[in-house]
Amino acid sequence: DAKTTQPNSMESNEEEPVHLPCNHSTISGTDYIHWYRQLPSQGPEYVIHGLTSNVNNRMASLAIAEDRKSSTLILHRATLRDAAVYYCILDAYSGAGSYQLTFGKGTKLSVIP
Amino acid sequence: KAGVTQTPRYLIKTRGQQVTLSCSPISGHRSVSWYQQTPGQGLQFLFEYFSETQRNKGNFPGRFSGRQFSNSRSEMNVSTLELGDSALYLCASSLARSNGLLSYEQYFGPGTRLTVT
């Protein structure tokens, strides 16, 4: 299984940008990079995904290294609601169109008021 | 549109019993996946269904099974419950890939909290 490496925890001050790193050195050419987050007592929530180019949406930005061996999730202004566990996941196509997301332990983000 | 719904939200069962959990995906989503989340093992993939067929299966014993109906609703069943089956069971739905290079986000439900005593 394609694996990712993330720091166990990070802290950020409220209203400051947050850069959450992820290493995925064994990524294959067709693997998409996904980010999900899980707030306390909730199911995971999709944040963003990309393949090769940087991506932006209303929640965050995803910066993908040129060699695709690492990526960074950027929250432009952290709010208290952004305190969650953030998972970096590789969507490795296993054939026949099926999905199988492999979650690691993620990064627990704390936001300080 | 309505999100992924799971029923029941909480369940308490006794060792040896069986349990059935239900998941209704987002309208139009034909892929439904199930995950188990425990404090020790984190989130682990159980299986994925598409068009009433199981396409992918994680590393869980045969006591864990599932099915999908023609309206894409899915159920998972755990027979002969063990204490270690206590977990949050999450269902996720997604659009189907149209070819091997496309990837879509998965939408997760709130989960069913199963406690086995």
Side-chain angles (χ1 to χ4, degrees):
Chain A
D1 288 343
K3 293 201 179 343
T4 62
T5 305
Q6 299 177 252
N8 290 333
S9 62
M10 290 184 64
E11 272 188 0
S12 173
N13 292 319
E14 195 176 9
E15 298 190 5
E16 289 188 355
V18 183
H19 290 233
L20 296 162
C22 180
N23 288 317
H24 29 77
S25 58
T26 59
I27 191 170
S28 298
T30 55
D31 293 347
Y32 280 75
I33 301 159
H34 282 240
W35 283 82
Y36 286 78
R37 70 181 185 182
Q38 188 171 22
L39 280 65
S41 302
Q42 294 187 26
E45 175 188 30
Y46 167 80
V47 177
I48 200 166
H49 78 279
L51 183 61
T52 56
S53 305
N54 295 345
V55 184
N56 300 297
N57 65 20
R58 64 172 181 82
M59 288 181 69
S61 295
L62 175 60
I64 301 173
E66 199 169 327
D67 63 4
R68 301 213 320 130
K69 293 184 185 300
S70 66
S71 61
T72 302
L73 178 69
I74 302 165
L75 307 179
H76 296 287
R77 285 179 71 239
T79 68
L80 297 178
R81 194 195 172 276
D82 292 323
V85 178
Y86 286 78
Y87 297 98
C88 169
I89 302 159
L90 298 184
D91 179 18
Y93 179 56
S94 56
S98 62
Y99 287 103
Q100 179 175 348
L101 297 184
T102 301
F103 287 79
K105 300 214 178 291
T107 296
K108 184 174 183 179
L109 175 67
S110 301
V111 179
I112 303 166
Chain B
K1 59 185 160 179
V4 177
T5 57
Q6 292 187 246
T7 56
R9 293 291 312 278
Y10 302 92
L11 204 50
I12 300 175
K13 289 285 189 179
T14 307
R15 263 184 309 176
Q17 288 185 315
Q18 74 163 15
V19 67
T20 299
L21 311 181
S22 180
C23 170
S24 293
I26 289 173
S27 177
H29 286 189
R30 295 168 62 194
S31 169
V32 174
S33 299
W34 287 89
Y35 294 82
Q36 181 196 64
Q37 185 171 30
T38 60
Q41 299 297 319
L43 271 152
Q44 293 184 284
F45 172 79
L46 278 157
F47 29 64
E48 187 234 4
Y49 284 86
F50 176 78
S51 288
E52 303 177 63
T53 301
Q54 186 184 91
R55 290 197 301 191
N56 209 352
K57 189 177 191 305
N59 189 24
F60 278 82
R63 300 184 297 106
F64 291 82
S65 63
R67 60 177 176 168
Q68 187 181 33
F69 302 95
S70 57
N71 61 359
S72 294
R73 191 177 69 84
S74 178
E75 289 181 348
M76 69 162 281
N77 183 277
V78 188
S79 62
T80 319
L81 283 166
E82 300 176 0
L83 294 179
D85 297 333
S86 294
L88 180 66
Y89 290 89
L90 292 155
C91 166
S93 76
S94 179
L95 290 170
R97 299 181 198 270
S98 59
N99 65 55
L101 295 180
L102 291 183
S103 183
Y104 293 101
E105 57 268 35
Q106 296 206 352
Y107 293 87
F108 285 80
T112 294
R113 173 75 62 189
L114 172 65
T115 302
V116 182
T117 61

